[in-house]
Amino acid sequence: VASFFFIGLMSMMIPLCHVFGALVAVCLFMGLFDGCFICIMAPIAFELVGAQDVSQAIGFLLGLMSVPMTVGPPIAGLLRDKLGTYDVAFYLAGVPPLIGGAILCFIPWVHERQKSKER
């Protein structure tokens, strides 16, 4: 959850970097958190679907992740053409991971609530 949240935060910080060193630092942190997110995807998929279907689940996750990565750059280009800057595109790119991270924070609460109902 923290990795997902920080990916969104780092995306939103890119337009705020006016010095090359700051951009390098933001990109390093973004790469670190993205690597953590990708590494934890397989164990989560294994826990959710079991050993039999884990390869299909990972393929499905990567397929879903490819949609925004394919559609995002043309949308960013359209925003650049309309607004004259890429800043809004970076801010908008950071919103879904922030929302997703916030929603994922509620999973332990929901899980505990389901356990208490079963008891």
Side-chain angles (χ1 to χ4, degrees):
V1 173
S3 295
F4 206 48
F5 187 79
F6 277 105
I7 289 169
L9 187 64
M10 292 296 127
S11 293
M12 295 175 94
M13 288 183 65
I14 290 174
L16 303 175
C17 297
H18 298 291
V19 178
F20 182 70
L23 181 63
V24 169
V26 166
C27 289
L28 284 172
F29 280 112
M30 189 170 179
L32 173 71
F33 291 119
D34 186 52
C36 292
F37 173 70
I38 295 298
C39 288
I40 201 70
M41 238 176 30
I44 290 172
F46 183 82
E47 187 175 324
L48 289 175
V49 299
Q52 292 287 65
D53 298 323
V54 72
S55 61
Q56 186 175 0
I58 292 171
F60 185 71
L61 284 169
L62 292 174
L64 282 176
M65 288 172 57
S66 71
V67 173
M69 290 186 178
T70 303
V71 177
I75 292 174
L78 288 173
L79 288 170
R80 163 69 167 82
D81 290 344
K82 296 284 184 195
L83 303 173
T85 181
Y86 282 108
D87 291 356
V88 175
F90 283 110
Y91 294 137
L92 290 176
V95 171
L98 287 175
I99 292 172
I103 291 171
L104 287 173
C105 287
F106 290 107
I107 288 178
W109 177 71
V110 171
H111 187 65
E112 281 297 318
R113 196 163 178 196
Q114 283 180 340
K115 279 186 177 180
S116 65
K117 280 184 180 181
E118 289 175 2
R119 292 180 198 158

